[in-house]
Amino acid sequence: MLKEKEIVFATGNAHKVAEVDLIFQMPNIKILSLKDIQFTDEIVEDGLSFRENALLKVKALAKKGYTNIIGEDSGLEVEALGGEPGIYSARYSGEPVDHDRNIRKLLANLEGVENRKARFASIICYLENGIISYFEGYINGEITTDASGRKGFGYDPVFKPLNYEVTFAEMEDKLKSSISHRYKSFTELAKYLRSKNQ
Ligand code: IMP
């Protein structure tokens, strides 16, 4: 029998952990969160791109001696705002992170704007045996004019994916986790891990 491989997912976001539990089910691979390994240091995300921030998350754990690490950075890119809030999605309206305030700022910035096109991005940096690989996932959609729904996190109440009539925050968790940006990036990572195990 194959030995179980443990991979640390460098996130303190419990919503992301729950989503990835739904998305990423591979026999012999166990994903541990920062909570599972009792890692409480702050990871400063001062990179200038999703990739750089994902790499910073990986480096913070590599320094502690972990060898199999997933760093994921994600965010919302709004076409009419030139790609903002992008890498600043979590802290769009300042610190401490406040999702409701972020949504209010986003809706205010888009008031009267006809082009509501947006996408979520999820960029994974994966380290194993000293080798770094990147995987990306995107989902297109639009920003609604009002928030609706209470599920999920972040901008979910104002993001309606293309070809759906409801926001992410109105969807069952399983549905969001079968179409989302994170679904796509983690599925790419799973393919890579499977190909390495063959
Ligand atoms: P990260 O934890 O540094 O990757 O920051 C991601 C930020 O992007 C979150 O705090 C949210 O504001 C936003 N975000 C990323 N993915 C999602 C999602 O699936 N739904 C809603 N907001 C998201």
PDB file of all heavy atoms in Angstrom, residues 8 10 34 37-43 56-69 127:
ATOM      1  N   VAL A   8       0.901  20.499   3.038  1.00  0.00           N
ATOM      2  CA  VAL A   8       0.364  21.592   3.855  1.00  0.00           C
ATOM      3  C   VAL A   8      -0.185  22.681   2.940  1.00  0.00           C
ATOM      4  O   VAL A   8       0.484  23.127   2.009  1.00  0.00           O
ATOM      5  CB  VAL A   8       1.445  22.204   4.780  1.00  0.00           C
ATOM      6  CG1 VAL A   8       0.801  23.262   5.666  1.00  0.00           C
ATOM      7  CG2 VAL A   8       2.099  21.140   5.633  1.00  0.00           C
ATOM      8  N   ALA A  10      -1.125  26.359   2.749  1.00  0.00           N
ATOM      9  CA  ALA A  10      -0.759  27.547   3.522  1.00  0.00           C
ATOM     10  C   ALA A  10      -1.887  28.566   3.547  1.00  0.00           C
ATOM     11  O   ALA A  10      -1.783  29.639   2.956  1.00  0.00           O
ATOM     12  CB  ALA A  10       0.508  28.170   2.937  1.00  0.00           C
ATOM     13  N   LEU A  34      -3.067  25.303   7.980  1.00  0.00           N
ATOM     14  CA  LEU A  34      -2.154  25.932   8.952  1.00  0.00           C
ATOM     15  C   LEU A  34      -2.616  25.632  10.372  1.00  0.00           C
ATOM     16  O   LEU A  34      -1.804  25.479  11.281  1.00  0.00           O
ATOM     17  CB  LEU A  34      -2.101  27.445   8.722  1.00  0.00           C
ATOM     18  CG  LEU A  34      -1.421  27.878   7.429  1.00  0.00           C
ATOM     19  CD1 LEU A  34      -1.378  29.402   7.340  1.00  0.00           C
ATOM     20  CD2 LEU A  34      -0.001  27.321   7.333  1.00  0.00           C
ATOM     21  N   ILE A  37      -1.374  22.271  11.552  1.00  0.00           N
ATOM     22  CA  ILE A  37       0.044  22.197  11.953  1.00  0.00           C
ATOM     23  C   ILE A  37       0.382  23.262  13.004  1.00  0.00           C
ATOM     24  O   ILE A  37       1.536  23.465  13.343  1.00  0.00           O
ATOM     25  CB  ILE A  37       0.996  22.333  10.733  1.00  0.00           C
ATOM     26  CG1 ILE A  37       0.814  23.693  10.022  1.00  0.00           C
ATOM     27  CG2 ILE A  37       0.800  21.169   9.761  1.00  0.00           C
ATOM     28  CD1 ILE A  37       1.947  24.045   9.084  1.00  0.00           C
ATOM     29  N   GLN A  38      -0.639  23.952  13.476  1.00  0.00           N
ATOM     30  CA  GLN A  38      -0.492  24.979  14.514  1.00  0.00           C
ATOM     31  C   GLN A  38       0.514  26.059  14.131  1.00  0.00           C
ATOM     32  O   GLN A  38       1.349  26.469  14.931  1.00  0.00           O
ATOM     33  CB  GLN A  38      -0.134  24.320  15.846  1.00  0.00           C
ATOM     34  CG  GLN A  38      -1.290  23.484  16.325  1.00  0.00           C
ATOM     35  CD  GLN A  38      -0.960  22.630  17.532  1.00  0.00           C
ATOM     36  OE1 GLN A  38       0.185  22.526  17.947  1.00  0.00           O
ATOM     37  NE2 GLN A  38      -1.982  22.028  18.091  1.00  0.00           N
ATOM     38  N   PHE A  39       0.414  26.489  12.874  1.00  0.00           N
ATOM     39  CA  PHE A  39       1.265  27.574  12.371  1.00  0.00           C
ATOM     40  C   PHE A  39       0.502  28.879  12.554  1.00  0.00           C
ATOM     41  O   PHE A  39      -0.576  29.054  11.978  1.00  0.00           O
ATOM     42  CB  PHE A  39       1.562  27.334  10.890  1.00  0.00           C
ATOM     43  CG  PHE A  39       2.457  28.359  10.243  1.00  0.00           C
ATOM     44  CD1 PHE A  39       3.816  28.132  10.065  1.00  0.00           C
ATOM     45  CD2 PHE A  39       1.931  29.569   9.779  1.00  0.00           C
ATOM     46  CE1 PHE A  39       4.630  29.074   9.448  1.00  0.00           C
ATOM     47  CE2 PHE A  39       2.744  30.514   9.164  1.00  0.00           C
ATOM     48  CZ  PHE A  39       4.093  30.258   8.999  1.00  0.00           C
ATOM     49  N   THR A  40       1.040  29.775  13.371  1.00  0.00           N
ATOM     50  CA  THR A  40       0.265  30.990  13.666  1.00  0.00           C
ATOM     51  C   THR A  40       0.988  32.278  13.236  1.00  0.00           C
ATOM     52  O   THR A  40       0.462  33.368  13.414  1.00  0.00           O
ATOM     53  CB  THR A  40      -0.036  31.090  15.184  1.00  0.00           C
ATOM     54  OG1 THR A  40       1.197  30.936  15.875  1.00  0.00           O
ATOM     55  CG2 THR A  40      -1.025  30.028  15.626  1.00  0.00           C
ATOM     56  N   ASP A  41       2.214  32.159  12.672  1.00  0.00           N
ATOM     57  CA  ASP A  41       2.940  33.365  12.231  1.00  0.00           C
ATOM     58  C   ASP A  41       2.133  34.082  11.147  1.00  0.00           C
ATOM     59  O   ASP A  41       1.449  33.430  10.355  1.00  0.00           O
ATOM     60  CB  ASP A  41       4.284  33.007  11.571  1.00  0.00           C
ATOM     61  CG  ASP A  41       5.229  32.317  12.543  1.00  0.00           C
ATOM     62  OD1 ASP A  41       4.808  32.059  13.688  1.00  0.00           O
ATOM     63  OD2 ASP A  41       6.366  32.019  12.136  1.00  0.00           O
ATOM     64  N   GLU A  42       2.273  35.405  11.104  1.00  0.00           N
ATOM     65  CA  GLU A  42       1.606  36.124  10.025  1.00  0.00           C
ATOM     66  C   GLU A  42       2.441  35.974   8.753  1.00  0.00           C
ATOM     67  O   GLU A  42       3.677  36.093   8.805  1.00  0.00           O
ATOM     68  CB  GLU A  42       1.472  37.610  10.381  1.00  0.00           C
ATOM     69  CG  GLU A  42       0.458  38.307   9.503  1.00  0.00           C
ATOM     70  CD  GLU A  42       0.669  39.807   9.394  1.00  0.00           C
ATOM     71  OE1 GLU A  42       1.403  40.376  10.223  1.00  0.00           O
ATOM     72  OE2 GLU A  42       0.117  40.394   8.459  1.00  0.00           O
ATOM     73  N   ILE A  43       1.802  35.682   7.636  1.00  0.00           N
ATOM     74  CA  ILE A  43       2.541  35.630   6.369  1.00  0.00           C
ATOM     75  C   ILE A  43       2.276  36.936   5.640  1.00  0.00           C
ATOM     76  O   ILE A  43       1.129  37.241   5.284  1.00  0.00           O
ATOM     77  CB  ILE A  43       2.098  34.424   5.500  1.00  0.00           C
ATOM     78  CG1 ILE A  43       2.312  33.117   6.272  1.00  0.00           C
ATOM     79  CG2 ILE A  43       2.853  34.414   4.174  1.00  0.00           C
ATOM     80  CD1 ILE A  43       1.806  31.867   5.545  1.00  0.00           C
ATOM     81  N   LEU A  56       5.186  33.469  -1.784  1.00  0.00           N
ATOM     82  CA  LEU A  56       5.532  33.932  -0.428  1.00  0.00           C
ATOM     83  C   LEU A  56       4.928  33.000   0.635  1.00  0.00           C
ATOM     84  O   LEU A  56       5.552  32.714   1.656  1.00  0.00           O
ATOM     85  CB  LEU A  56       5.024  35.361  -0.197  1.00  0.00           C
ATOM     86  CG  LEU A  56       5.814  36.458  -0.898  1.00  0.00           C
ATOM     87  CD1 LEU A  56       5.069  37.799  -0.796  1.00  0.00           C
ATOM     88  CD2 LEU A  56       7.214  36.594  -0.307  1.00  0.00           C
ATOM     89  N   LYS A  57       3.708  32.521   0.374  1.00  0.00           N
ATOM     90  CA  LYS A  57       3.053  31.613   1.322  1.00  0.00           C
ATOM     91  C   LYS A  57       3.847  30.301   1.401  1.00  0.00           C
ATOM     92  O   LYS A  57       4.066  29.752   2.485  1.00  0.00           O
ATOM     93  CB  LYS A  57       1.601  31.359   0.903  1.00  0.00           C
ATOM     94  CG  LYS A  57       0.725  32.610   1.002  1.00  0.00           C
ATOM     95  CD  LYS A  57      -0.684  32.416   0.447  1.00  0.00           C
ATOM     96  CE  LYS A  57      -1.395  33.769   0.310  1.00  0.00           C
ATOM     97  NZ  LYS A  57      -2.779  33.696  -0.108  1.00  0.00           N
ATOM     98  N   VAL A  58       4.293  29.828   0.247  1.00  0.00           N
ATOM     99  CA  VAL A  58       5.083  28.589   0.219  1.00  0.00           C
ATOM    100  C   VAL A  58       6.408  28.783   0.965  1.00  0.00           C
ATOM    101  O   VAL A  58       6.811  27.947   1.779  1.00  0.00           O
ATOM    102  CB  VAL A  58       5.340  28.153  -1.251  1.00  0.00           C
ATOM    103  CG1 VAL A  58       6.433  27.109  -1.335  1.00  0.00           C
ATOM    104  CG2 VAL A  58       4.052  27.624  -1.875  1.00  0.00           C
ATOM    105  N   LYS A  59       7.056  29.922   0.699  1.00  0.00           N
ATOM    106  CA  LYS A  59       8.373  30.165   1.316  1.00  0.00           C
ATOM    107  C   LYS A  59       8.271  30.211   2.832  1.00  0.00           C
ATOM    108  O   LYS A  59       9.171  29.744   3.545  1.00  0.00           O
ATOM    109  CB  LYS A  59       8.963  31.484   0.799  1.00  0.00           C
ATOM    110  CG  LYS A  59       9.597  31.360  -0.571  1.00  0.00           C
ATOM    111  CD  LYS A  59      10.250  32.687  -0.944  1.00  0.00           C
ATOM    112  CE  LYS A  59      11.044  32.572  -2.231  1.00  0.00           C
ATOM    113  NZ  LYS A  59      11.428  33.898  -2.750  1.00  0.00           N
ATOM    114  N   ALA A  60       7.171  30.803   3.339  1.00  0.00           N
ATOM    115  CA  ALA A  60       7.015  30.937   4.789  1.00  0.00           C
ATOM    116  C   ALA A  60       6.999  29.561   5.456  1.00  0.00           C
ATOM    117  O   ALA A  60       7.529  29.386   6.562  1.00  0.00           O
ATOM    118  CB  ALA A  60       5.724  31.691   5.109  1.00  0.00           C
ATOM    119  N   LEU A  61       6.436  28.576   4.775  1.00  0.00           N
ATOM    120  CA  LEU A  61       6.378  27.230   5.362  1.00  0.00           C
ATOM    121  C   LEU A  61       7.647  26.435   5.072  1.00  0.00           C
ATOM    122  O   LEU A  61       8.077  25.622   5.900  1.00  0.00           O
ATOM    123  CB  LEU A  61       5.172  26.477   4.826  1.00  0.00           C
ATOM    124  CG  LEU A  61       3.840  26.921   5.405  1.00  0.00           C
ATOM    125  CD1 LEU A  61       2.706  26.146   4.806  1.00  0.00           C
ATOM    126  CD2 LEU A  61       3.829  26.738   6.912  1.00  0.00           C
ATOM    127  N   ALA A  62       8.239  26.679   3.907  1.00  0.00           N
ATOM    128  CA  ALA A  62       9.479  25.970   3.566  1.00  0.00           C
ATOM    129  C   ALA A  62      10.551  26.311   4.596  1.00  0.00           C
ATOM    130  O   ALA A  62      11.346  25.454   5.005  1.00  0.00           O
ATOM    131  CB  ALA A  62       9.924  26.350   2.156  1.00  0.00           C
ATOM    132  N   LYS A  63      10.535  27.572   5.053  1.00  0.00           N
ATOM    133  CA  LYS A  63      11.503  28.023   6.058  1.00  0.00           C
ATOM    134  C   LYS A  63      11.391  27.213   7.346  1.00  0.00           C
ATOM    135  O   LYS A  63      12.338  27.077   8.094  1.00  0.00           O
ATOM    136  CB  LYS A  63      11.228  29.488   6.395  1.00  0.00           C
ATOM    137  CG  LYS A  63      12.213  30.453   5.782  1.00  0.00           C
ATOM    138  CD  LYS A  63      12.134  31.800   6.482  1.00  0.00           C
ATOM    139  CE  LYS A  63      11.408  32.793   5.617  1.00  0.00           C
ATOM    140  NZ  LYS A  63      10.906  33.973   6.242  1.00  0.00           N
ATOM    141  N   LYS A  64      10.182  26.725   7.603  1.00  0.00           N
ATOM    142  CA  LYS A  64       9.948  25.940   8.825  1.00  0.00           C
ATOM    143  C   LYS A  64      10.229  24.458   8.602  1.00  0.00           C
ATOM    144  O   LYS A  64       9.965  23.629   9.464  1.00  0.00           O
ATOM    145  CB  LYS A  64       8.495  26.091   9.293  1.00  0.00           C
ATOM    146  CG  LYS A  64       8.078  27.505   9.571  1.00  0.00           C
ATOM    147  CD  LYS A  64       8.440  27.912  10.984  1.00  0.00           C
ATOM    148  CE  LYS A  64       8.107  29.373  11.190  1.00  0.00           C
ATOM    149  NZ  LYS A  64       8.388  29.869  12.506  1.00  0.00           N
ATOM    150  N   GLY A  65      10.690  24.122   7.410  1.00  0.00           N
ATOM    151  CA  GLY A  65      11.093  22.737   7.170  1.00  0.00           C
ATOM    152  C   GLY A  65      10.063  21.870   6.467  1.00  0.00           C
ATOM    153  O   GLY A  65      10.323  20.695   6.213  1.00  0.00           O
ATOM    154  N   TYR A  66       8.894  22.434   6.123  1.00  0.00           N
ATOM    155  CA  TYR A  66       7.906  21.626   5.397  1.00  0.00           C
ATOM    156  C   TYR A  66       8.374  21.475   3.946  1.00  0.00           C
ATOM    157  O   TYR A  66       9.012  22.369   3.395  1.00  0.00           O
ATOM    158  CB  TYR A  66       6.516  22.281   5.455  1.00  0.00           C
ATOM    159  CG  TYR A  66       5.953  22.243   6.849  1.00  0.00           C
ATOM    160  CD1 TYR A  66       6.113  23.334   7.712  1.00  0.00           C
ATOM    161  CD2 TYR A  66       5.317  21.109   7.330  1.00  0.00           C
ATOM    162  CE1 TYR A  66       5.637  23.291   9.015  1.00  0.00           C
ATOM    163  CE2 TYR A  66       4.839  21.059   8.633  1.00  0.00           C
ATOM    164  CZ  TYR A  66       5.003  22.149   9.468  1.00  0.00           C
ATOM    165  OH  TYR A  66       4.535  22.092  10.753  1.00  0.00           O
ATOM    166  N   THR A  67       8.068  20.323   3.351  1.00  0.00           N
ATOM    167  CA  THR A  67       8.615  20.048   2.020  1.00  0.00           C
ATOM    168  C   THR A  67       7.539  19.979   0.931  1.00  0.00           C
ATOM    169  O   THR A  67       7.824  20.225  -0.235  1.00  0.00           O
ATOM    170  CB  THR A  67       9.392  18.716   2.020  1.00  0.00           C
ATOM    171  OG1 THR A  67       8.554  17.718   2.604  1.00  0.00           O
ATOM    172  CG2 THR A  67      10.685  18.841   2.807  1.00  0.00           C
ATOM    173  N   ASN A  68       6.312  19.617   1.317  1.00  0.00           N
ATOM    174  CA  ASN A  68       5.214  19.560   0.335  1.00  0.00           C
ATOM    175  C   ASN A  68       4.206  20.638   0.700  1.00  0.00           C
ATOM    176  O   ASN A  68       3.482  20.505   1.691  1.00  0.00           O
ATOM    177  CB  ASN A  68       4.515  18.202   0.378  1.00  0.00           C
ATOM    178  CG  ASN A  68       5.411  17.094  -0.118  1.00  0.00           C
ATOM    179  OD1 ASN A  68       6.625  17.244  -0.147  1.00  0.00           O
ATOM    180  ND2 ASN A  68       4.814  16.000  -0.517  1.00  0.00           N
ATOM    181  N   ILE A  69       4.179  21.698  -0.105  1.00  0.00           N
ATOM    182  CA  ILE A  69       3.398  22.870   0.299  1.00  0.00           C
ATOM    183  C   ILE A  69       2.572  23.425  -0.863  1.00  0.00           C
ATOM    184  O   ILE A  69       3.065  23.563  -1.986  1.00  0.00           O
ATOM    185  CB  ILE A  69       4.341  24.006   0.787  1.00  0.00           C
ATOM    186  CG1 ILE A  69       5.316  23.474   1.836  1.00  0.00           C
ATOM    187  CG2 ILE A  69       3.545  25.189   1.337  1.00  0.00           C
ATOM    188  CD1 ILE A  69       6.501  24.391   2.080  1.00  0.00           C
ATOM    189  N   LEU A 127       5.047  23.319  -4.064  1.00  0.00           N
ATOM    190  CA  LEU A 127       6.454  22.908  -3.872  1.00  0.00           C
ATOM    191  C   LEU A 127       6.503  21.442  -3.476  1.00  0.00           C
ATOM    192  O   LEU A 127       5.819  20.998  -2.544  1.00  0.00           O
ATOM    193  CB  LEU A 127       7.090  23.744  -2.756  1.00  0.00           C
ATOM    194  CG  LEU A 127       8.503  23.310  -2.336  1.00  0.00           C
ATOM    195  CD1 LEU A 127       9.538  23.656  -3.416  1.00  0.00           C
ATOM    196  CD2 LEU A 127       8.921  23.970  -1.017  1.00  0.00           C
TER     197      LEU A 127
END
